Amino acid sequence: IGTGVPMIRVDTGAAASRIEAITQVQSAQVSKSWPDRIVITVRERTPALAVTVPVTGSATGPAGDGFALIDSTGAVVRSVPVKPAGMPVFGTSIPLSALRGSTSVAAAVTVLHEVPAWIARAAATVTASSPQNVTLGLSNGVTIVWGSTARAAAKTAELYALMRTGAHYYDVSALETAVTR
């Protein structure tokens, strides 16, 4: 919004669109508060998953891996050299540039919100070859094949019953036909 532009001429929709073009912004609302204020409300993107990205060497350091932090829509919020503690790595063969709008990313984040909190905190990796095929890899080596986001409460109950066996592999993707190893 240009300095000195009369409020009556401010296009709030265009201003909101320009703000939403900022990578870290999920949504923006711009409104007029008469007689002399423009109110801008921004909802920031929240990183939910880390994606490993190769980093080329430079004069300041060697080549290695860095991480792109993505939100539930697959939008890259920021890049960091070290994965934040407690943030699962999203395992994918999809190029980073194609993750935005991915239904697989959305399903992976949804599953992390559906599973019991202690499982979500223990998740080291999340893979989703499709929205119907979400798998969690826990930091203790346990694998949980969750499947789709459907029937989360029933899957949780079944998982609790199966985890009493002390197995390292649990498949609750098809209820009533769960598998452990």
Side-chain angles (χ1 to χ4, degrees):
I1 301 171
T3 303
V5 174
M7 276 187 51
I8 196 78
R9 292 198 179 130
V10 172
D11 183 345
T12 56
S17 293
R18 287 191 302 274
I19 295 166
E20 288 173 345
I22 299 168
T23 303
Q24 291 82 5
V25 175
Q26 183 171 349
S27 63
Q29 290 180 323
V30 178
S31 60
K32 298 173 185 177
S33 179
W34 296 98
D36 60 355
R37 287 190 169 65
I38 300 291
V39 177
I40 300 173
T41 306
V42 173
R43 182 172 177 196
E44 293 181 77
R45 294 186 183 279
T46 304
L49 299 167
V51 178
T52 305
V53 292
V55 177
T56 57
S58 69
T60 59
D65 288 334
F67 296 90
L69 306 184
I70 61 172
D71 72 352
S72 62
T73 68
V76 176
V77 177
R78 67 180 168 272
S79 296
V80 295
V82 177
K83 181 184 79 68
M87 183 173 288
V89 173
F90 183 65
T92 182
S93 59
I94 301 170
L96 188 61
S97 60
L99 287 179
R100 191 169 194 150
S102 167
T103 54
S104 294
V105 171
V109 173
T110 299
V111 167
L112 284 171
H113 289 105
E114 290 176 342
V115 297
W118 69 269
I119 291 177
R121 284 190 304 271
T125 62
V126 181
T127 58
S129 58
S130 75
Q132 291 75 37
N133 192 20
V134 178
T135 300
L136 304 174
L138 305 188
S139 56
N140 63 359
V142 169
T143 299
I144 300 171
V145 178
W146 192 261
S148 74
T149 58
R151 300 187 64 194
K155 289 178 182 181
T156 298
E158 195 166 86
L159 182 62
Y160 271 133
L162 292 173
M163 289 188 107
R164 292 184 193 133
T165 65
H168 284 27
Y169 177 91
Y170 304 93
D171 185 340
V172 293
S173 60
L175 291 172
E176 288 114 29
T177 55
V179 177
T180 63
R181 285 189 247 168

